[in-house]
Amino acid sequence: MTPDSQTNFLFLADSLPKKYPEFYARLEKELKKHKVDFGFLPGTKDVWAVDYMPIQVGKKFIQFRYDPSYLRFKKYEKTKSDVDSICEALGIKTQKSDIVLDGGNLVRSAHQAFVTDRIFEDNPTWERKALLTELKNLLELDRLFLLPVQPGDFTGHADGMVRFVDEHTILANDYSKEPKKFYEAFEIALHNTGLEVIKLPYNVYDNTSNSHANGDYINFLQMEKVIFGPIFGFKEDQEVIRILEQAFPKDSIIPIESNELAKDGGILNCISWNILR
């Protein structure tokens, strides 16, 4: 699979500058400053591009079915972008799968990936082992790890929980203040991977809603040689940037104030569809 660290072109939803003009102005300034090539996905209906766009595997693009359980209400139909039309406009041919999977619930390196167990709820007709085997085959993975869904996270996504540093090391949220049952299940899941774990500060506890993601620093945008890390004006901001600089010493770590996005439940990885051209 194509890991974020090897991507060199960023697509953003064309709806992003309209919905979050102040945030977009900050992001655009930094993208241009650091010479990141970027463009826009045409005709989008929401900004969370990583969720509905296909997954790049080498020269292939695997298009999973974008029909998550949390959007299966009539009022959300207008938020679903026409991915076939977007890909056609970009000249991208996709290989379709009937598996329901959001891009936000796939955290990947070249040979390994994480998903949460929401994958089973979204695909109730699949036998669990067969589902995981099919995912591994489609994505050309050696190992696929399961995480428990975080309580209160209606999306059930993994990209706000863990990220790969390399094939041997991951970053993971410090969930020590979370409910004991979830915290222990999460720690067991991490231990069972056999990977080295670096903990990242996690502070969402002053947010006024479970749908706010302010303080979830792990949802950063990673590309070749550069990482854009969300900051929120919290006391943890500087510590997080320092940890990222130590974990990725060859990359430029760029802080981006991201409160507007986070108050709507997503952050930098959520708005990004970055690929290798």
Side-chain angles (χ1 to χ4, degrees):
M1 194 158 47
T2 306
D4 291 330
S5 61
Q6 294 179 10
T7 59
N8 58 12
F9 194 91
L10 172 65
F11 281 104
L12 301 167
D14 61 358
S15 52
L16 182 70
K18 305 168 192 173
K19 187 168 184 179
Y20 302 102
E22 293 182 7
F23 164 80
Y24 175 72
R26 294 194 298 273
L27 178 62
E28 180 187 43
K29 179 181 178 181
E30 295 298 335
L31 292 173
K32 290 181 176 178
K33 179 180 177 181
H34 295 279
K35 297 180 171 57
V36 175
D37 290 331
F38 70 99
F40 292 98
L41 302 172
T44 60
K45 294 182 179 180
D46 73 31
V47 303
W48 316 119
V50 73
D51 287 339
Y52 49 83
M53 293 302 291
I55 305 298
Q56 188 174 21
V57 182
K59 295 182 179 180
K60 298 181 296 183
F61 289 89
I62 310 297
Q63 179 63 60
F64 293 100
R65 190 154 58 93
Y66 183 55
D67 188 28
S69 55
Y70 61 87
L71 291 184
R72 290 174 188 167
F73 300 94
K74 190 172 183 179
K75 66 178 181 178
Y76 293 123
E77 283 299 319
K78 63 182 180 181
T79 71
K80 292 183 179 180
S81 299
D82 186 339
V83 182
D84 288 341
S85 294
I86 294 172
C87 289
E88 183 177 356
L90 297 176
I92 293 174
K93 294 182 179 181
T94 63
Q95 175 183 332
K96 293 189 177 182
S97 167
D98 67 351
I99 294 174
V100 175
L101 176 65
D102 303 354
N105 194 25
L106 183 69
V107 173
R108 62 194 192 270
S109 66
H111 305 291
Q112 304 174 95
F114 285 91
V115 295
T116 71
D117 52 19
R118 177 63 60 82
I119 191 76
F120 301 129
E121 180 181 331
D122 283 345
N123 295 277
T125 62
W126 279 81
E127 189 273 326
R128 291 190 172 198
K129 185 176 180 181
L131 175 62
L132 298 179
T133 298
E134 177 68 4
L135 277 175
K136 285 178 65 178
N137 290 338
L138 281 172
L139 299 174
E140 299 179 7
L141 296 170
D142 295 332
R143 299 202 295 172
L144 179 62
F145 307 117
L146 281 171
L147 295 172
V149 171
Q150 183 181 4
D153 179 9
F154 71 98
T155 68
H157 286 176
D159 67 347
M161 304 174 80
V162 299
R163 297 293 290 274
F164 281 94
V165 175
D166 54 36
E167 296 293 344
H168 309 287
T169 307
I170 56 171
L171 290 164
N173 280 340
D174 180 356
Y175 283 139
S176 55
K177 293 182 181 179
E178 289 292 286
K180 181 179 179 181
K181 183 177 179 180
F182 164 73
Y183 172 65
E184 291 180 347
F186 181 73
E187 290 297 307
I188 290 170
L190 296 185
H191 174 77
N192 288 343
T193 67
L195 300 170
E196 181 181 348
V197 179
I198 300 171
K199 287 299 180 70
L200 208 61
Y202 178 76
N203 181 14
V204 302
Y205 302 106
D206 290 329
N207 293 340
T208 57
S209 168
N210 276 342
S211 64
H212 294 177
N214 310 64
D216 190 355
Y217 293 92
I218 210 161
N219 195 281
F220 52 77
L221 164 59
Q222 180 181 26
M223 296 181 67
E224 185 180 39
K225 298 181 181 179
V226 64
I227 291 173
F228 296 91
I231 57 172
F232 308 99
F234 293 176
K235 60 183 177 61
E236 292 86 359
D237 287 357
Q238 290 186 346
E239 181 184 359
V240 168
I241 297 303
R242 178 183 59 79
I243 292 171
L244 291 177
E245 287 174 342
Q246 291 178 344
F248 302 97
K250 296 182 180 179
D251 297 340
S252 298
I253 310 298
I254 314 302
I256 300 284
E257 195 266 291
S258 303
N259 281 300
E260 301 104 301
L261 288 178
K263 285 181 179 178
D264 283 342
I267 322 183
L268 298 181
N269 188 66
C270 301
I271 62 167
S272 308
W273 189 56
N274 40 307
I275 63 172
L276 173 62
R277 277 190 159 182

